[in-house]
Structures are given as C-alpha cells and as structure tokens.
C-alpha cells in the first residue's frame, strides 16, 4: 500500500540559519549539483530493490539499469540496509552524504549503527559532520554513545561542535551526562573569539544542569563584547533559577550597546520575579533609542505585577515618536486601569500620525468601558485618512451598541469605496436586524464593483429573508461577471426556494466559463434533486472550457464535494487533462477523497489509485519546494531536488521493510 512517510526537510535548521557561517559561505554550485546526482543514484538502488517503475521523480532511469533484481528479493532488511549504507558511504559530495545519512538514520537496524558512525566520522566538512552526528543521536544505543561523542569532539568549528555534543549528551545517563557537559562547557569557555564562544554557550544553555549553571554564568559574565554577552544571557534566561535572576538583570544593565541591552532584557522579561520588575522598568526608561524602549516595554507588559502598569504607562507616554508610543500603548492596553485607559485615549487622539492613532485605538477598543466608546468612536471617525479610519472603526465594531453602530454606518457611507467596504464588512456580523437595510443601501452605493462584491459577500450571511430579493437584484446590476459571481456565490446559500428561478437566470446568463461555473456551483447544492444534477452537469461543462488551468483546477476543486459518481468520472478526466503538475495535483487531490470506496482486493494498477499516488507525490513535492525556498535561499532548485530524493529514500525504505523479512 502506498503511503507517505513524515520526513523533515531540515532536521538541523541551524545548519541553514541565516546568521550561521554557512549562510555566508554558500556551497559551491558543482557541490550542489553533485547532491542531486548522488542521491538519484541511491534512489535507483532502492528502486531496484523494490522493483518499481522506470520513472524517478520525473527523470528517466539511465539505460541499462535493471528493475526488480531477483537477488534482492531473498535478502533480509538488514542486508538491504547494509547495501544502501555502502551506497551512501561512497557519495562524493559531503553535504549529499550527510543528508543521505540523515534520511537513513531512523531506519537503520542497531547492528549497522557502528558502520554508520564510521561513515559520519569520515566526513571532513565540520558542518556536514555535525549534521550527521545530530541525526544519529536519538538512535544510538548507550554502548555506542561514548565513541560518537569522542568523534564529535574533533569537529573543528566551536559552535557546531557544541551543538553536536549537546545533541549526543541528551541520551547519556545522568552521571555520564554531567561529566560530558562539564567537558563541553570547559571547551566552550576556552574558545578564544567571543562571538563563537557566545554561540557555543547559547547551544549549551538548554542542556546544562543546575550544578553547571554557576560556572556557565561566570563564563558568560567574562565576555567583554556587549553583543556577544547579550547573546549568551538571552540564551541562559529561560533556564536560570530564581536565585540567579538578580545577578542576570544587573549583568544586562551593564551592557552598553542599547540594542544588545534591549534584546537581553526582553529575553529576561518573562522570567523576572515581581521584586525585579521596578529595576527592569528603570533600565527600560534609560534606553535612549525609542524603538528599543518600545520593544522592551512590549516584552515586559504581559508580566508586570498589578502595581506597576501606571509606572510603565509613564515610560510609554514619554516616547516622542507617535508610532513607537502606539506600539508600547498597544502592548500595555490589556493591563491598564480605567483611569489610565482614558488617559491613553487622550494620548492617542493627540497623535499627529493617522496610522499610529488607528493602531492605538484598535488596541484600546476591547478594554474600554461602554461609557467611553462614544468618545473613542468620535476620535476614530475624525481620522482624516480613509484606510486608517477604516482600521479603527473595524476594531471598534464588535464593541459598539446599536446607536453607535448606526453612527458607524453613517461614517462609513462618507468614505471612499475601499474604506466603506472595509468598515461595512467588519460591521456586518454585529448589526441588528433593524440596521441591515441601511447597511445594504450603503453597500449598493459603492461605485467600484470589486469592493461592492466584497461588501456583499460579507453582508450576505446576515441578511433577513425580506432583504434577500433586494440583495439579489443589486447583485445582478454588477457588470463585471467575475465580481458578480463572487457576490452571487456568497448570497446563493441563503436564498429561499421562491428566488431559485431568478437566481438560475442570473447564473446561466453569465458568459465567462469560470464565473458561470462558480455561480452554478454555489446554487446547485441547494436545488431539488433532478435540477441539482442538471446544474452540476452544466457547472462541470463550464469548468471544462476554462482556458486558464489554475482557474480550471480551482473550479473542479469547488465542484468535487457535490458531484455524483457519474460526474466524478468526467471530472477526473478533466483534471487529468490539465498539463501543469501543481494545478493537476490540486484538482486530483480535491476529487479523489470523494471517490467511491474501492472493493476489497482492488488492484494497485487501478487508474484512480495511480492518480492518487500522483496527486500525493506532486503535492508533497510542492510542499517540500516551498519549505526549501524558505530555508535555503541560495540553493533553491538544487536543494528542492535533494529534498525530493530524501523523501523518496525514506518512503522506499519503509515500503521495503514492509515487504522483506527482518
């Protein structure tokens, strides 16, 4: 049976982190090309064992390669893994070899782990070796851990060595772990350059037991460079016992560089005891750079004792920049008393920057007493710029009374099209029935059809039955067929049976295939039996003739849950005819869950089963590509191919394990 194995693209993300040395020393192009070729060779070896087809992720198998070699069929799983490990061990590119070992690690039997350790130890590049060691750490038996640790101590780079050793020591017994971490801490403390020393401390911090923390703190305090010392303290902060926090706060206070001091103080904030917060606020107030001061106040705000918000508020309103002051007030707003909230409203109202005023009012809205809401609404309506005024009104809408909601509708009606649509969409879920006619009228007066359709789609679920005929006629007046389909699709599920004939006239009169498919898909599920089948058939026909494959795939995806079996067969044919892999995968993935259950013992050669495999593969490949684009910007295409190969390796090993005797 086909299935996908959950497999992390990058189980060692720090290897690719943008602040690591590797990011500043990209892998050579030839080295990256080697990765795919070497792993493809490994894929082909596994395909030979498994007896699969000639296609490997879209690439032809080289001529002359055999498929389904009979000598593999009688081998045990251990022998197969040994063969695969031999293939991995001779991969020339070390990043490829490390990634292949990463893929193999969870699948190797214990008897092969010693050989795997040898393959990892033979990797010369310290980054790749650290990656391999970290991959093996969770799978090593206790007897092999000392040898692994000895080998990891020879990793040249200090921070990578600390990371690999820390990962390995997690699996030692308590006594052995303390002894090994002592050695690692000594080695980290002896690092000459302060930046790698601080990074080594940061890697060690989560793993240090209480007995070693005093030594680690002494070593961190001895770092001269502010940035490096801040990094070390930030890493230690979550792991410090309460008795060490006063010393940590004083050490942070002595950091001269404001950015580093702010970062370290923000890291300490969630862990400070109540007695230390006054001192922390004093330190925050001394930070001259207002953006750093706002950052620290935002970090301190959720943890402030009940007596300190007034003091923090005073630090916040002393910030001269409107935007940074708004940021600090936003963080403090849930913790302010009613009197301070009123002061905050006045501060926000006095802001010269519309965006900052809207941001502060939006944050304050949910914490204000009802008596203060009219004042805040007036301040929001007075914001000159449409988009910021809409932002503030949108935040206020869930908290307004009926009379204030009516006032907000009037304010929205005086705005530009986009802002009016924004505000009316936000107000819609909160409007009482008496205000819905006024809101519908305001929507119909929006000149831009796109924004009108947007507002209609937000208002439609809340309209009373008496207003639906009026809304349907308003929708028919939208000239652009795409926007008309959008608004109609939102309205269709709420129409009464008496309105179905008019709705069908509107839907079938649309000329654009994609828009017609969308409207018919929206109305069809609500029609009686024979009429529903007829409209679904017409929707599928319209979807078939959509020229743009992405739109066609989306139309099929929307239709799939409603199609009967006879139409599902046609939909599958339409989906398989899509040329673009990702669009075809989207359509197939939407259709196949609704396919009738296959009878027991159905052949794996069934076309639907094979289409399911194809859809799963394409979707998985696309997801891996997205993840790799995020993590490895400098080697996007090559690494995407590598990741696809690794996924295939893991899948094949799982399937081989199912089919072969252990």
């Amino acid at each position: 049976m086909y299935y996908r194995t959950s497999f992390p693209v990058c189980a060692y993300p720090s290897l690719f982190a943008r602040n690591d040395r590797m990011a500043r020393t990209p892998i050579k192009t030839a080295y990256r090309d080697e990765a795919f070729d070497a792993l493809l060779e490994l894929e082909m070896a596994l395909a030979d064992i498994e007896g699969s087809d000639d296609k490997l992720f879209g690439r032809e198998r080289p001529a002359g390669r055999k498929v389904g070699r009979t000598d593999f069929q009688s081998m045990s799983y251990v022998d197969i893994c040994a063969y695969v490990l031999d293939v991995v061990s001779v991969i020339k590119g070390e990043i490829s070899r490390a990634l292949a070992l990463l893929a193999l690690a969870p699948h190797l039997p214990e008897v092969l782990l010693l050989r795997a350790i040898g393959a990892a130890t033979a990797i010369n590049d310290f980054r790749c070796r650290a990656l391999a060691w970290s991959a093996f750490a969770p799978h090593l038996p206790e007897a092999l851990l000392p040898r692994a640790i000895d080998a990891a101590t020879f990793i040249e780079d200090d921070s990578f060595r600390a990371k690999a050793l820390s990962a390995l020591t997690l699996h030692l017994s308590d006594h052995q772990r303390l002894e090994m971490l002592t050695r690692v801490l000594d080695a980290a403390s002896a690092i000459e350059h302060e930046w790698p020393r601080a990074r080594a401390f940061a890697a060690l911090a989560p793993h240090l037991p209480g007995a070693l923390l005093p030594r680690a703190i002494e070593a961190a305090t001895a770092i001269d460079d502010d940035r490096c010392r801040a990094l070390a303290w930030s890493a230690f902060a979550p792991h410090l016992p309460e008795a060490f926090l006063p010393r940590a706060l004083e050490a942070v206070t002595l950091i001269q560089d404001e950015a580093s001091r702010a970062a370290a103080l923000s890291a300490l904030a969630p862990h400070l005891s109540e007695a230390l917060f006054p001192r922390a606020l004093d330190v925050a107030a001394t930070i001259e750079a207002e953006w750093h001061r706002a950052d620290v106040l935002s970090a301190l705000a959720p943890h402030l004792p009940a007596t300190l918000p007034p003091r923090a508020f005073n630090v916040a309103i002393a910030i001269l920049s409107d935007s940074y002051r708004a940021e600090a007030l936003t963080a403090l707003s849930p913790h302010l008393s009613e009197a301070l909230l009123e002061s905050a409203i006045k501060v926000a109202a006095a802001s010269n920057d519309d965006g900052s005023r809207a941001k502060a009012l939006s944050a304050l809205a949910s914490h204000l007493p009802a008596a203060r809401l009219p004042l805040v609404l007036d301040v929001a309506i007075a914001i000159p710029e449409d988009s910021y005024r809409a932002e503030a009104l949108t935040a206020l809408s869930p908290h307004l009374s009926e009379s204030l909601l009516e006032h907000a509708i009037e304010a929205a009606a005086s705005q530009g099209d986009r802002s009016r649509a924004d505000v009316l969409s936000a107000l819609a879920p909160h409007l009482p029935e008496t205000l819905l006619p006024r809101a519908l009228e305001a929507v119909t007066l929006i000149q831009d059809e796109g924004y009108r359709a947007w507002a209609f789609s937000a208002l439609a679920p809340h309209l009373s039955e008496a207003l639906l005929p009026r809304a349907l006629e308003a929708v028919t007046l939208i000239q652009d067929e795409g926007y008309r389909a959008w608004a109609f699709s939102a309205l269709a599920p709420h129409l009464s049976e008496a309105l179905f004939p008019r709705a069908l006239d509107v839907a079938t009169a649309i000329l654009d295939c994609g828009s017609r498919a969308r409207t018919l898909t929206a109305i069809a599920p609500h029609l009686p039996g024979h009429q529903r089948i007829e409209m679904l058939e017409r929707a599928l026909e319209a979807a078939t003739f959509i020229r743009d494959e992405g739109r066609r795939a989306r139309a099929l995806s929307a239709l799939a849950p409603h199609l009967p079996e006879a139409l599902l067969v046609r939909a599958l044919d339409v989906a398989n005819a899509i040329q673009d892999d990702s669009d075809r995968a989207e359509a197939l993935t939407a259709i196949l869950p609704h396919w009738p259950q296959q009878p027991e013992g159905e052949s794996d050669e069934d076309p639907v089963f094979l289409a399911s495999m194809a859809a799963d593969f394409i979707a998985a490949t696309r997801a891996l590509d997205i993840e790799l684009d995020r993590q490895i910007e400098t080697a996007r295409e090559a690494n995407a191919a590598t990741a696809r190969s690794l996924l295939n390796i893991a899948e094949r090993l799982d399937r081989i394990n199912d089919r072969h005797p252990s």
Side-chain angles (χ1 to χ4, degrees):
M1 180 176 178
Y2 174 80
Y3 62 95
R4 281 185 297 173
T5 303
S6 175
F7 179 74
V9 177
C10 182
Y12 197 67
S14 59
L15 186 68
F16 302 111
R18 302 312 303 161
N19 62 345
D20 277 346
R21 188 180 304 167
M22 187 174 185
R24 297 190 296 272
T25 314
I27 304 169
K28 294 178 182 177
T29 303
Y31 206 45
R32 291 200 303 269
D33 294 341
E34 225 171 58
F36 179 65
D37 291 337
L39 291 177
L40 180 66
E41 181 68 21
L42 176 55
E43 281 183 56
M44 289 190 293
L46 289 170
D48 285 348
I49 296 169
E50 194 185 0
S52 61
D53 62 21
D54 284 346
K55 292 278 187 177
L56 291 170
F57 287 95
R59 285 183 52 157
E60 294 286 348
R61 178 189 297 273
R65 290 297 305 240
K66 296 181 180 178
V67 180
R69 286 166 42 178
T70 54
D71 55 332
F72 284 117
Q73 305 309 314
S74 59
M75 291 171 64
S76 70
Y77 183 66
V78 171
D79 291 336
I80 290 172
C81 284
Y83 170 80
V84 172
L85 186 57
D86 287 343
V87 173
V88 169
S89 300
V90 296
I91 291 176
K92 187 175 180 182
E94 292 193 330
I95 185 65
S96 306
R97 199 184 323 155
L99 288 169
L101 288 170
L102 174 66
L104 290 174
H107 306 282
L108 289 177
E110 189 173 318
V111 295
L112 292 178
L113 285 172
L114 192 60
R115 285 172 62 181
I117 288 173
T121 306
I123 296 174
N124 292 316
D125 184 278
F126 62 83
R127 298 162 295 190
C128 301
R129 192 158 72 250
L131 170 61
W133 280 122
S134 299
F136 281 118
H139 310 289
L140 293 176
E142 191 170 340
L144 290 180
L145 279 170
R147 174 166 180 179
I149 288 168
D150 286 341
T153 57
F154 290 100
I155 295 173
E156 293 84 355
D157 182 88
D158 300 313
S159 58
F160 276 90
R161 181 170 66 250
K163 289 173 184 176
L165 287 170
S166 298
L168 289 165
T169 54
L170 285 175
H171 307 280
L172 292 171
S173 64
D174 289 344
H175 174 70
Q176 290 176 310
R177 190 162 173 260
L178 180 61
E179 180 184 348
M180 179 50 58
L181 284 172
T182 303
R183 288 171 54 189
V184 177
L185 180 58
D186 289 341
S189 302
I191 297 171
E192 181 180 357
H193 298 290
E194 291 190 330
W195 181 245
R197 192 192 319 161
R199 287 177 60 206
F201 287 150
L204 275 172
H207 311 293
L208 290 177
L212 291 180
L213 272 174
R215 290 179 55 186
I217 289 170
E218 290 294 339
T221 306
I223 296 175
D224 293 323
D225 181 83
D226 282 343
R227 191 167 66 109
C228 300
R229 191 161 72 256
L231 171 63
W233 280 116
S234 298
F236 283 131
H239 312 287
L240 293 175
E242 189 172 343
F244 286 92
L245 289 172
R247 180 173 178 186
L249 181 57
E250 289 309 312
V252 167
T253 303
L254 296 174
I255 296 173
Q256 298 300 308
D257 177 70
E258 288 197 331
S260 301
R261 192 191 324 152
L265 188 54
S266 298
L268 272 177
H271 313 287
L272 294 176
S273 62
E274 185 171 338
L276 294 175
F277 272 97
R279 176 62 175 146
L281 278 174
D282 289 341
V283 176
T286 65
I287 297 175
E288 293 184 7
E290 292 188 330
W291 59 93
H292 293 316
R293 197 187 320 161
D295 285 344
V296 174
L297 285 172
S298 299
L300 290 170
H303 313 286
L304 288 173
T307 57
L308 287 181
R311 191 166 167 181
F313 180 75
N314 289 332
V315 176
I317 62 175
I319 296 174
L320 299 178
S321 162
D322 285 337
S323 60
Y324 297 130
R325 185 172 62 249
E327 180 184 334
L329 288 175
T330 297
L332 285 169
S333 58
H335 314 286
L336 299 180
S337 65
E338 188 172 328
L340 287 176
L341 284 169
E342 190 162 346
S343 299
I345 294 170
K346 294 176 181 176
V347 171
S351 173
N352 294 315
D353 178 67
D354 289 345
S356 300
R357 195 185 321 169
K359 181 178 181 179
L361 291 174
S362 299
L364 293 168
S366 59
H367 309 291
L368 293 171
R372 309 312 302 163
L373 287 171
L375 171 62
V376 177
L377 181 59
D378 288 339
V379 173
I381 290 172
I383 295 175
E385 211 282 323
D386 274 358
S387 62
Y388 292 127
R389 183 166 67 249
E391 179 185 338
L393 290 172
T394 299
L396 283 169
S397 59
H399 312 289
L400 299 179
S401 64
E402 183 171 341
S403 61
L404 293 178
L405 284 168
E406 186 173 9
H407 190 21
I409 291 174
E410 296 300 329
S414 65
Q415 298 189 71
D417 285 346
R418 177 172 181 172
S419 297
R420 193 186 318 173
D422 270 342
V423 175
L424 291 171
S425 298
L427 291 174
H430 311 289
L431 294 176
E433 191 168 339
T434 54
L435 290 179
L436 287 171
R438 180 69 189 94
L440 181 58
E441 181 184 354
V443 169
T444 58
L445 293 175
I446 296 174
Q447 297 301 306
D448 183 280
E449 291 190 332
Y451 293 129
R452 197 190 319 160
W454 175 10
F456 264 126
S457 65
L459 193 60
H462 309 286
L463 293 175
S464 62
E465 188 171 344
L467 290 174
L468 288 172
R470 183 175 159 191
L472 181 58
E473 290 308 314
V475 166
T476 63
L477 296 176
I478 297 175
Q479 299 300 308
D480 183 278
E481 291 188 332
Y483 293 141
R484 195 190 317 156
W486 179 10
F488 182 89
S489 300
L491 197 60
H494 310 286
L495 296 177
S496 62
E497 191 170 341
L499 293 174
F500 284 167
R502 178 61 176 144
L504 288 176
D505 288 343
V506 173
T508 54
I510 293 176
L511 300 177
D512 175 69
C513 292
S515 301
R516 187 165 70 255
R518 182 174 185 175
T519 54
L520 290 171
T521 301
I523 191 66
H526 308 284
L527 298 172
H530 71 282
Q531 204 173 16
R532 179 173 66 251
I533 300 299
E534 180 187 349
M535 290 302 112
L536 286 171
E537 189 169 6
R538 293 177 71 171
L540 179 57
E541 182 181 4
T544 304
F545 289 100
I546 297 173
R547 290 187 178 183
D548 181 88
E549 292 192 329
R551 290 185 69 199
R552 196 187 317 157
R554 288 190 292 277
L556 290 171
S557 299
L559 264 174
H562 310 293
L563 294 177
E565 184 175 344
L567 292 179
L568 273 173
V569 175
R570 286 174 54 185
L572 187 63
D573 290 339
V574 175
N576 276 319
I578 294 174
Q579 299 299 307
D580 181 82
D581 284 346
S582 62
D583 292 332
R584 186 168 66 256
E586 181 180 344
L588 289 172
T589 304
I591 291 169
L592 292 167
H594 306 286
W595 198 265
Q597 194 69 29
Q598 293 299 307
E600 196 72 30
E602 186 75 30
S603 168
D604 282 359
E605 301 307 314
D606 182 274
V608 176
F609 177 81
L610 295 177
S612 176
M613 290 177 63
D616 270 357
F617 156 65
I618 296 168
T621 301
R622 185 171 49 178
L624 285 171
D625 283 342
I626 292 168
E627 179 69 11
L628 282 162
D629 283 351
R630 184 180 67 78
Q631 290 189 359
I632 316 173
E633 298 170 8
T634 56
R636 183 161 24 192
E637 293 180 4
N639 281 290
T642 300
R644 289 195 291 270
S645 294
L646 291 176
L647 179 64
N648 199 21
I649 289 166
E651 288 175 345
R652 289 186 186 281
L653 277 170
D654 278 348
R655 292 200 295 271
I656 291 168
N657 192 21
D658 286 342
R659 297 175 186 178
H660 286 256
S662 58

